[in-house]
Amino acid sequence: MKIRNHRKYEWWFRPSKNSKLEKHLYRFKYKSDLMKFLNKNFEESINGTVSLDHKSFNCSNTIREWFVWYNDYAIKRTPLKVVLKQMDFRGLKFISKNNKISKEDKTYFAFSEKVISLMCNIYEEDEKTILPSKAQRLIKLFEKRGFKDFEPDEDDLKYINGHILDGIQFSYWSDRCNFLRCKVILEFFKREGLLK
């Protein structure tokens, strides 16, 4: 299975304090749209800052920043246009570079949002019943995320039995469900007869 489109880039424009532009932050998907906006609002965009924001499975950060200025060397016939001047960050070109993400992490993070959503809504309206279809779907999502059933050792077995007796807090575990907790949920579903 190939996981695509896990990296997203956005261009952010912040006007200067003296600018008459209404909002504090403008976001653009493409640089061309950003430049059209800046040239359309030429006077108000000068002295603002532009940053390239990156979002991925494992991080969210600003890659680079620019200062909004105009073409200094424009000939009289050439209209003034906005240009972006690179801002150094501690003498470096990049504020942060993209981190590489492993194949295992990609598959883990790709299904995490679905796991979180399903775990938060696992119970029916009575807050006591779990449908077998939801239980089976959750286990399949765990497997797609990389979970494989295993034989627990003594410490793991104590952890599993303790949580099954105390009751599993699905919504609390939803964003912090490691493979041991997946095993706890699997055993809970087996004991409740929710899996075929």
Side-chain angles (χ1 to χ4, degrees), residues 16-18 34 37 45 51 56 84 105 109 112 125 142-143 153-155 161 167-168 188 195:
S16 66
K17 292 178 182 177
N18 302 327
L34 165 75
F37 175 81
S45 61
S51 58
S56 185
L84 302 178
D105 286 345
F109 287 119
S112 288
E125 290 178 11
F142 286 161
E143 289 168 355
D153 59 20
E154 282 186 36
D155 291 336
N161 291 329
I168 299 167
F188 173 73
L195 299 176

Side-chain angles (χ1 to χ4, degrees), residues 53-68:
D53 187 68
H54 162 259
K55 287 181 185 171
S56 185
F57 287 138
N58 62 340
C59 67
S60 174
N61 53 20
T62 300
I63 298 174
R64 290 172 74 178
E65 280 190 326
W66 292 268
F67 180 68
V68 180

Side-chain angles (χ1 to χ4, degrees), residues 34-50:
L34 165 75
M35 296 308 286
K36 282 176 191 172
F37 175 81
L38 296 177
N39 282 310
K40 188 178 176 184
N41 301 289
F42 181 80
E43 289 181 18
E44 300 304 324
S45 61
I46 299 297
N47 290 330
T49 57
V50 169

Side-chain angles (χ1 to χ4, degrees), residues 46-141:
I46 299 297
N47 290 330
T49 57
V50 169
S51 58
L52 179 58
D53 187 68
H54 162 259
K55 287 181 185 171
S56 185
F57 287 138
N58 62 340
C59 67
S60 174
N61 53 20
T62 300
I63 298 174
R64 290 172 74 178
E65 280 190 326
W66 292 268
F67 180 68
V68 180
W69 202 236
Y70 56 88
N71 49 348
D72 296 332
Y73 302 107
I75 306 168
K76 291 180 182 178
R77 299 175 204 157
T78 311
L80 284 173
K81 285 187 177 179
V82 164
V83 290
L84 302 178
K85 302 275 186 177
Q86 176 72 52
M87 291 173 68
D88 287 342
F89 178 75
R90 297 178 185 165
L92 301 172
K93 187 176 181 181
F94 292 96
I95 294 173
S96 59
K97 292 186 178 180
N98 297 341
N99 297 329
K100 288 189 177 179
I101 183 168
S102 68
K103 191 176 179 182
E104 293 80 21
D105 286 345
K106 274 185 194 177
T107 54
Y108 184 86
F109 287 119
F111 295 101
S112 288
E113 193 174 327
K114 290 180 181 179
V115 167
I116 291 168
S117 176
L118 185 55
M119 285 181 72
C120 288
N121 301 300
I122 195 88
Y123 286 107
E124 292 302 295
E125 290 178 11
D126 62 359
E127 295 293 323
K128 294 176 183 174
T129 310
I130 298 175
L131 293 177
S133 59
K134 282 188 176 180
Q136 289 167 11
R137 199 164 88 224
L138 184 60
I139 298 303
K140 281 182 184 174
L141 286 172

Side-chain angles (χ1 to χ4, degrees), residues 152-164:
D153 59 20
E154 282 186 36
D155 291 336
D156 291 346
L157 204 55
K158 284 179 187 176
Y159 183 85
I160 291 166
N161 291 329
H163 279 288
I164 290 175

